[in-house]
Amino acid sequence: MRKKSSGPVGTVPPDAAGARTPGPAVSGAAHGDWLTLGRDGRLSLYAPTEGGLLRWTETTVGGADWNGPHLVPGAGLTHLTVVQGDDSYVHFLGRRERVGADGARRVDVVHAIQYQTGLAFTDWRSLGNPHPDREQGLLLGPPVGAVASDGSVHVFARGAHGGLVLRREAPNGKWRAWENLQGVGLSPWPAPVALAGGRIEVCVDAETGVFVWRQLEAGGDFTGPRGFALRPAPGTVAALETGPEQATFFWTDADSGAAVSWRAGGWPTPLGGSPAQRPYATLRTTLDGYDCLVLAYRDPDGHAVFGVGGVGDEGNGLWWYALTEPCEGSPALARDGRGRVVMALIDPDGRPRVARQEPGTGLSLGPWSEL
């Protein structure tokens, strides 16, 4: 069973006049689903900071006011990934680097959970390092995650030798040993997707193209890697379920600089747009009665861009909208408790900002609010 005892969560205190004093600075955007919708209908936003992470939470469903920032201590985190399961639990995966009493640096992967919106986290739990050799362990990439439909957490990372490693929960809630899924020359950012039927697939760009691993059945072993001679721009791959048991992967094409969508066994479909700098944020939603795809990314000029198109109709391209808002890292996308699309970003000064879908046809975003 997962341990539900909670670690400390602190709020940046007000000063004597009642105004909020400056808190720890945001150090960039997290990886993954760092804007999440809780079971109670409220959104939460998470961002890394020196010594841990910061959390903001809506005070009411779909409202304009947010509580926070709340500091969740986590010393030594060099990367932070956020992933949410169907049960609404939010999982936090960190690559932690510490210096021991002997002065040597050591790296491990840590995991914490938030079970309810706005409440405390569990303690950080170490998942170890797949490499017994300390020097090799320092080469471990940042962890990314996917949560299967049964709630089991799967943690992927690039190993010291350039292949893919995995640690995952067993059905009884205990963690299995690290698994070596092979591969070579991988980028640091695997793109896993948890499908509604319980399987997980993962795509990673590499020096020689693209590798894909997939489960043939829920909870089963991963087959692969299967290689494809394709040319994603390094570190731009993202994943989304676009139909029953159908994983679609998105990346920037290294030759054209445009976004593409791709399903294993087919050819990449051009989507237009400008080159992305990091993995795309992805969202599937209903707009004007149609099943739609929304992508968002940071362009080469440092501004947020989003695109909208029909799910399964990517051949007609996406409608792209370049925003004037600068951002650090990838934006995040979610639906709020009223069903509206929300985009979040971290501005160059380390301030989280959000904008919501405005009434009307199509998708247009309203004014940006600073948290």
Side-chain angles (χ1 to χ4, degrees), residues 85-367:
D86 292 340
D87 52 14
S88 81
Y89 298 164
V90 185
H91 298 265
F92 304 88
L93 302 170
R95 180 187 182 277
R96 181 171 64 179
E97 186 170 312
R98 295 181 292 179
V99 178
D102 58 358
R105 292 187 300 137
R106 290 177 173 81
V107 166
D108 65 346
V109 173
V110 292
H111 170 236
I113 311 171
Q114 179 184 271
Y115 290 100
Q116 290 182 274
T117 305
L119 297 185
F121 288 40
T122 64
D123 298 324
W124 292 98
R125 173 179 179 173
S126 177
L127 302 183
N129 189 309
H131 304 293
D133 180 82
R134 184 183 61 81
E135 292 298 325
Q136 290 186 1
L138 295 176
L139 301 177
L140 183 68
V144 302
V147 183
S149 57
D150 65 358
S152 60
V153 182
H154 293 58
V155 182
F156 300 90
R158 183 183 66 182
H161 303 294
L164 189 66
V165 295
L166 163 69
R167 193 162 191 201
R168 53 176 162 163
E169 286 184 300
N172 61 4
K174 294 184 178 180
W175 286 88
R176 299 182 180 182
W178 284 96
E179 303 171 48
N180 182 2
L181 300 186
Q182 306 299 326
V184 64
L186 304 185
S187 88
W189 298 110
V193 56
L195 305 175
R199 296 189 308 108
I200 289 176
E201 298 189 17
V202 57
C203 178
V204 193
D205 64 275
E207 296 169 359
T208 56
V210 165
F211 287 115
V212 174
W213 291 257
R214 63 195 305 264
Q215 290 176 310
L216 298 181
E217 61 182 8
D221 292 333
F222 283 81
T223 64
R226 184 180 177 190
F228 299 86
L230 303 171
R231 284 181 46 78
T236 61
V237 181
L240 182 69
E241 184 174 17
T242 55
E245 294 299 293
Q246 179 65 69
T248 300
F249 301 100
F250 304 90
W251 62 70
T252 294
D253 181 76
D255 295 320
S256 69
V260 300
S261 65
W262 177 73
R263 299 179 181 93
W267 291 100
T269 300
L271 304 178
S274 55
Q277 301 293 292
R278 293 286 297 274
Y280 293 85
T282 63
L283 180 68
R284 188 175 174 184
T285 190
T286 300
L287 297 172
D288 306 327
Y290 293 96
D291 187 7
C292 289
L293 161 74
V294 185
L295 298 181
Y297 65 94
R298 181 183 188 269
D299 71 13
D301 294 327
H303 293 87
V305 178
F306 76 94
V308 182
V311 171
D313 192 31
E314 294 94 339
N316 285 323
L318 271 64
W319 288 268
W320 293 100
Y321 304 87
L323 305 177
T324 59
E325 294 293 319
C327 63
E328 296 296 317
S330 298
L333 293 168
R335 286 187 300 269
D336 70 8
R338 299 179 184 176
R340 298 172 297 183
V341 174
V342 182
M343 182 188 292
L345 55 81
I346 305 298
D347 72 17
D349 294 323
R351 298 171 300 194
R353 300 169 68 86
V354 297
R356 299 177 194 264
Q357 177 182 355
E358 291 202 303
T361 59
L363 175 59
S364 60
L365 298 177

Side-chain angles (χ1 to χ4, degrees), residues 21-42:
T21 58
V26 171
S27 56
H31 185 77
D33 306 323
W34 52 273
L35 180 68
T36 65
L37 179 65
R39 185 174 297 175
D40 66 355
R42 291 186 296 155

Side-chain angles (χ1 to χ4, degrees), residues 16-101:
R20 186 151 319 268
T21 58
V26 171
S27 56
H31 185 77
D33 306 323
W34 52 273
L35 180 68
T36 65
L37 179 65
R39 185 174 297 175
D40 66 355
R42 291 186 296 155
L43 290 172
S44 294
L45 184 152
Y46 310 90
T49 188
E50 180 70 26
L53 66 95
L54 298 172
R55 181 189 69 198
W56 290 259
T57 304
E58 286 182 319
T59 58
T60 59
V61 174
D65 296 327
W66 296 66
N67 287 323
H70 300 265
L71 174 64
V72 181
L77 299 182
T78 64
H79 295 85
L80 174 69
T81 293
V82 186
V83 60
Q84 187 175 28
D86 292 340
D87 52 14
S88 81
Y89 298 164
V90 185
H91 298 265
F92 304 88
L93 302 170
R95 180 187 182 277
R96 181 171 64 179
E97 186 170 312
R98 295 181 292 179
V99 178

